[in-house]
C-alpha cells in the first residue's frame, strides 16, 4: 500500500520496465496497491506505468458546515441578532448583551 512513494520515481525506463529497472527489481512479484483520489489522475497513472500498481480511486468526501445545536445554536442566533441590532437599533443592544451573557453563564462558557 502506498501513496506519494518514491518507487515510481526510481531510475529506469519511463514505460515498459525491464528487470534492470529499479521499480521492477524492488517489487518483483509483490502487488502494489495505491489508493488515489480520483481528481489526481497524473500520480496514479505514473504509479501504474512505472510500478504496475493497482489503482483504487475514490471521490473526495463532500464538505459541509458544522452547524451548532441546542444552546450553542441559540447563542449563535443571539450573536447574529446583536450585530443586526447594532446597525438597525442600537438602543436594544444592552438587552441582547444581557441575554448573551446569561446564556454564556448558563452553559458554562465563562469558566
Amino acid at each position: 500500500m502506498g501513496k506519494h512513494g518514491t518507487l515510481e520515481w526510481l531510475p529506469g525506463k519511463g514505460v515498459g520496465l525491464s528487470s534492470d529497472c529499479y521499480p521492477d527489481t524492488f517489487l518483483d512479484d509483490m502487488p502494489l496497491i495505491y489508493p488515489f483520489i480520483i481528481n489526481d489522475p497524473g500520480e496514479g497513472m505514473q504509479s501504474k506505468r512505472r510500478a504496475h500498481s493497482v489503482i483504487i480511486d475514490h471521490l473526495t468526501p463532500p464538505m459541509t458546515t458544522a452547524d451548532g445545536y441546542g444552546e450553542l445554536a441559540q447563542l449563535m442566533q443571539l450573536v447574529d441578532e446583536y450585530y443586526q441590532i447594532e446597525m438597525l437599533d442600537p438602543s436594544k443592544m444592552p438587552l441582547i448583551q444581557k441575554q448573551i451573557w446569561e446564556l454564556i453563564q448558563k452553559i458554562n462558557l465563562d469558566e
Side-chain angles (χ1 to χ4, degrees):
M1 295 280 291
K3 179 163 172 46
H4 296 293
T6 57
L7 181 66
E8 62 270 19
W9 305 109
L10 291 174
K13 296 185 280 180
V15 186
L17 299 174
S18 68
S19 59
D20 295 332
C21 297
Y22 283 80
D24 232 32
T25 302
F26 180 77
L27 282 175
D28 198 27
D29 288 334
M30 183 172 43
L32 178 62
I33 301 169
Y34 262 59
F36 274 94
I37 295 175
I38 203 163
N39 67 356
D40 191 6
E43 283 185 44
M45 294 318 307
Q46 180 72 1
S47 174
K48 189 173 181 96
R49 185 175 67 237
R50 297 266 303 149
H52 309 290
S53 64
V54 174
I55 297 176
I56 300 171
D57 49 5
H58 58 90
L59 292 171
T60 306
M63 297 188 66
T64 61
T65 58
D67 292 328
Y69 55 89
E71 291 165 328
L72 286 177
Q74 186 180 354
L75 180 60
M76 288 168 41
Q77 181 181 355
L78 283 171
V79 170
D80 286 343
E81 285 179 30
Y82 176 84
Y83 285 110
Q84 290 174 5
I85 287 172
E86 184 179 36
M87 303 287 271
L88 301 173
D89 189 0
S91 66
K92 294 182 181 175
M93 286 177 64
L95 176 63
I96 297 291
Q97 286 173 336
K98 182 176 183 265
Q99 290 174 341
I100 289 172
W101 182 243
E102 287 172 354
L103 185 56
I104 285 173
Q105 289 176 319
K106 178 181 176 188
I107 57 180
N108 299 321
L109 289 178
D110 60 331
E111 296 177 5

